[in-house]
């Protein structure tokens, strides 16, 4: 079985440690290799789905993709909790 299939299966099982380890080994931000860049975006998404905000925050210091994914994760959490702009206006 190829690593991509293993990572997808781990993701489906919510085995975040395995999925993240497999994907991060093939991820590269702003790579000329489309697949490596796509794997980087997948890696950021896995970190967010695993709620690894500390790791995302550390990466976000230098990585725009991590920053965007962290911001989206935090915004979704605020909306889920009933906070945000709409709740204040309501």
């Amino acid at each position: 079985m190829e690593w991509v299939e293993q990572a997808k299966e781990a993701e489906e099982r919510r085995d975040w440690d395995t999925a993240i380890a497999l994907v991060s080994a093939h991820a590269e931000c702003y790579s000329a290799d489309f697949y490596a860049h796509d794997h980087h975006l997948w890696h950021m998404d896995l970190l967010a789905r695993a709620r690894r905000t500390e790791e995302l925050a550390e990466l976000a210091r230098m990585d725009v993709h991590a920053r965007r994914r962290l911001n989206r994760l935090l915004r979704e959490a605020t909306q889920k909790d009933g906070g945000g702009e709409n709740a204040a206006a309501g």
Side-chain angles (χ1 to χ4, degrees):
M1 179 182 302
E2 195 173 319
W3 74 266
V4 173
E5 294 166 337
Q6 292 174 335
K8 286 180 181 182
E9 285 183 6
E11 183 178 13
E12 288 174 13
R13 292 190 314 269
R14 296 178 181 252
D15 178 358
W16 304 123
D17 291 335
T18 300
I20 290 167
L22 288 166
V23 174
S24 67
H26 300 275
E28 185 179 336
C29 186
Y30 291 117
S31 175
D33 176 0
F34 167 81
Y35 293 107
H37 181 70
D38 190 49
H39 298 146
H40 174 69
L41 299 177
W42 185 12
H43 178 220
M44 298 301 104
D45 189 55
L46 288 170
L47 290 173
R49 292 179 60 207
R51 303 285 190 239
R52 293 191 180 178
T53 54
E54 289 182 19
E55 287 179 61
L56 274 172
E58 182 63 31
L59 291 169
R61 296 173 65 204
M62 300 295 287
D63 184 333
V64 67
H65 303 107
R67 189 165 41 255
R68 288 177 183 160
R69 193 58 185 94
L70 177 63
N71 287 339
R72 189 168 82 197
L73 177 66
L74 296 174
R75 186 173 53 251
E76 289 169 355
T78 301
Q79 291 172 350
K80 186 177 181 181
D81 292 339
E85 296 173 22
N86 295 333

